[in-house]
Amino acid sequence: MAVRKIVRMGDPVLRQAARPLAPDEIGSAPFRLLLADMIDTLHDYSGIGLAAPQVAESVRLAIIDIPGGASRYGDIPPMPLTVFVNPVVEVVAPETRGYWEGCLSVPGLRGFVERPQHIKVRYTNEQGGTGELELTGFLATVFQHEFDHLDGKLYIDRMTDSTLLSFEEEYLRYLAPREEPQAGQLTTEL
Ligand code: ZN
């Protein structure tokens, strides 16, 4: 297991549509190695989500791990480390809400992105079984951000107002919501 380098915006791998993993790849030795490295990398970078293209592997694999009880995450509901292979997102309700998003592949910046807040995700797990999750609110945003990486998209592509793209320092100084950190304020990177 090893911490891998997270590639940054401008690397072509972040702009490719990743390929689906075949059933016989899931659980294979290379798959387990990649997954272990992604987990190490996510924790080393203190992120809450990581997609394989962010470590330059163009396959449809992502992990999400939101620790509970950590004050820096505010009211964000915790989610134990979960592995998503070939995930498919269905929008259940089109109403959107905006959050300030950050991305490990776009370091130093924050951008305000509006996304649907009620989605359903169907996926294969690391054992090859199938899973389904229904997500609302901030978690719906987290999952859409992460799975966009599998389609070669970054959060900046989803922004409708480019004046709401900011360096972190200026974001905290001028733009951060005045209230205490909460679900409306994404304080970590994906
Ligand atoms: Zn990201």
Side-chain angles (χ1 to χ4, degrees):
M1 295 192 288
V3 173
R4 298 205 188 182
K5 180 185 159 193
I6 292 184
V7 298
R8 304 198 302 177
M9 180 170 62
D11 190 313
V13 73
L14 289 174
R15 292 316 201 162
Q16 292 165 13
R19 73 169 177 84
L21 282 160
D24 63 350
E25 289 181 283
I26 300 165
S28 68
F31 173 90
R32 291 202 311 270
L33 178 64
L34 172 59
L35 181 56
D37 284 356
M38 285 176 61
I39 293 168
D40 283 353
T41 305
L42 179 68
H43 292 155
D44 188 67
Y45 280 78
S46 299
I48 58 173
L50 186 69
Q54 293 181 277
V55 293
E57 298 278 356
S58 193
V59 294
R60 302 187 80 82
L61 169 64
I63 56 175
I64 289 177
D65 184 9
I66 305 176
S71 59
R72 61 180 288 215
Y73 297 102
D75 292 339
I76 298 169
M79 167 162 286
L81 177 69
T82 310
V83 177
F84 299 89
V85 179
N86 304 333
V88 176
V89 173
E90 177 198 335
V91 175
V92 176
E95 290 77 21
T96 62
R97 179 176 168 186
Y99 294 93
W100 288 91
E101 297 188 21
C103 181
L104 293 169
S105 295
V106 190
L109 294 175
R110 287 286 184 272
F112 190 78
V113 186
E114 294 191 36
R115 301 183 190 264
Q117 294 296 287
H118 189 178
I119 63 170
K120 203 177 275 188
V121 177
R122 293 182 181 84
Y123 62 99
T124 301
N125 65 29
E126 68 272 37
Q127 277 96 35
T130 55
E132 189 176 307
L133 278 177
E134 201 162 332
L135 301 152
T136 57
F138 173 75
L139 281 178
T141 279
V142 168
F143 277 69
Q144 288 170 84
H145 174 121
E146 217 47 64
F147 297 157
D148 265 358
H149 281 299
L150 306 179
D151 292 324
K153 287 193 165 57
L154 299 174
Y155 76 79
I156 55 166
D157 307 333
R158 301 291 191 190
M159 293 184 65
T160 53
D161 181 351
S162 59
T163 69
L164 297 178
L165 180 66
S166 172
F167 290 102
E168 282 173 357
E169 195 181 323
E170 284 73 11
Y171 161 74
L172 290 169
R173 185 168 177 185
Y174 300 112
L175 299 165
R178 300 273 170 186
E179 62 268 31
E180 291 297 304
Q182 56 167 316
Q185 185 181 358
L186 183 48
T187 53
T188 189
E189 294 173 306
L190 301 161

